[in-house]
Amino acid sequence: MSEPTPPAPRRRAPFDPVAEPAGPSTTLVHGAERPERNAGSVVPPIYQSSTFHFPGEFSESARDGAVPLYSRLENPTQEVPAELVRRLEGGAAARVFGSGMGAITTTLLALLAPGDEVVAPEELYGGTLDLLRGLLSRFGVRVRWVPAASPEMVAEAAGPSTRVFFVESPTNPTLRVHDLSRWARAARSAGASLVVDNTFATPINQTPLALGADVVVHSGTKYLGGHSDLLAGVVVGPEALIARIDAVHAVVGSVLDPHAAFLLARGLRTLALRVERHNANAVRVVAALADHPKVVRLDYPGRASAAEEAIAARQMRGRAGMVSVVVRGGLPAARRLLHGLRWFHVASSLGGVESLASLPAETSHRSLSPEERAARGIDDGLVRLSLGIEDPDDLVRDLVRALDAV
Ligand SMILES: Cc1ncc(COP(=O)(O)O)c(C=O)c1O
């Protein structure tokens, strides 16, 4: 009897979310596979090379985009995390950067020129505030601030020179929620672009492009990487805007190293699972601390008012893993709380698997004056908690024990 014919080698079908709709976890696991290009490897390799062999004649036309040129401009390893975030955010194109600030600075430099204006809320990450108030103002860019107490004023904030609306939601560190659809309408009627920093929410919990934003920026250092072992930034948006950003990126050079790009892609594969746990841990901590006698105020997306709760319910699928508490007794009491914690590292940053606790007045927002911090609700005794993926009972027990002892 003749041997049965072995099955013909089967090529793995490329990921096609249109023909075969897939949820976020499936997208994150399979959404950037290129086995045909990568010697069949299941995990895309690290192209740890600053430059690439040039086939044929050394000219741009001969190259025709077929092979990378030089890693400040492009590197195949960077495409993997960019593609995963692009798919989740639902944008046309995406790029990765050496840090979140690299992504934000490059994006704003690409969209603005001297004499242009930006509309932005008063509550923003300290580094973004420094960029808007410091560096960009030196190049003739003015900011029209939307007061923290009157977020609805975004509707009439623009002037004839406004080119960009920039907002972050939930905000760092008071976790206020901005109505992103309202910001998108205001930007559109001013003929400006809306840029949303989606770092705190992640695309698992919130997708700003679907709410009308033009560009989404991320500190990939936080939840996207998820393990506190890299710095990265991501930008997602339409092809034409990303091409403008590419041109500035090529000279600014905030490049994500191939090894960090590999780690970012590795972290991203578990983003949906991790965020589910971060979300759940925050819900547990809010329930346990809301009525604690040592807690003067607890910040969590949607808690500031009924209006913000309605906005959060409309635009967020989950509320992420951040909780801030203002401790009775101000800064000395807040310091005692930090020192009493067992499972929380006292460290700035957020979004990693391990829980972190920090004092924004002394870290992320230290460049603001005490008056500026007070106007934004950043009390000296405000402790920002980034809840990791540890067991919720352990985190709650740790926080309650440390608060009791404050
Ligand atoms: C909301 C937000 N945006 C941007 C950044 C800047 O990101 P990176 O530290 O990766 O430059 C941070 C950092 O804490 C942040 O919290």
Side-chain angles (χ1 to χ4, degrees), residues 100-101 103-105 108 118 120-136 143 145 166-168 172 195 197 199 217 219 364-365 367-368:
M101 284 316 300
I104 293 170
T105 303
L108 291 184
V118 178
E122 286 178 328
E123 326 96 311
L124 284 172
Y125 166 62
T128 311
L129 278 177
D130 291 346
L131 172 66
L132 290 174
R133 305 190 319 171
L135 187 65
L136 287 178
V143 182
W145 297 105
F166 188 101
V167 68
E168 124 197 344
N172 181 0
V195 181
D197 184 334
T199 298
V217 293
S219 169
S364 58
H365 291 75
S367 66
L368 272 59

Side-chain angles (χ1 to χ4, degrees), residues 244-313:
R244 283 166 69 186
I245 292 168
D246 276 346
V248 177
H249 188 30
V251 289
V252 169
S254 173
V255 174
L256 187 64
D257 172 78
H259 189 253
F262 174 87
L263 285 178
L264 178 60
R266 180 185 169 122
L268 276 164
R269 293 200 186 88
T270 55
L271 178 70
L273 268 179
R274 285 185 284 106
V275 168
E276 212 175 284
R277 182 60 163 258
H278 290 297
N279 288 348
N281 278 358
V283 169
R284 281 286 308 277
V285 164
V286 170
L289 301 194
D291 296 323
H292 194 284
K294 301 278 176 55
V295 172
V296 179
R297 193 184 87 212
L298 185 145
D299 296 332
Y300 181 65
R303 275 182 68 93
S305 65
E308 284 194 27
E309 171 54 36
I311 298 165

Side-chain angles (χ1 to χ4, degrees), residues 39-60:
S41 73
V42 167
V43 177
I46 310 178
Y47 289 84
Q48 192 74 46
S49 187
S50 59
T51 192
F52 294 84
H53 176 74
F54 218 90
E57 194 190 333
F58 196 92
S59 74
E60 190 60 29

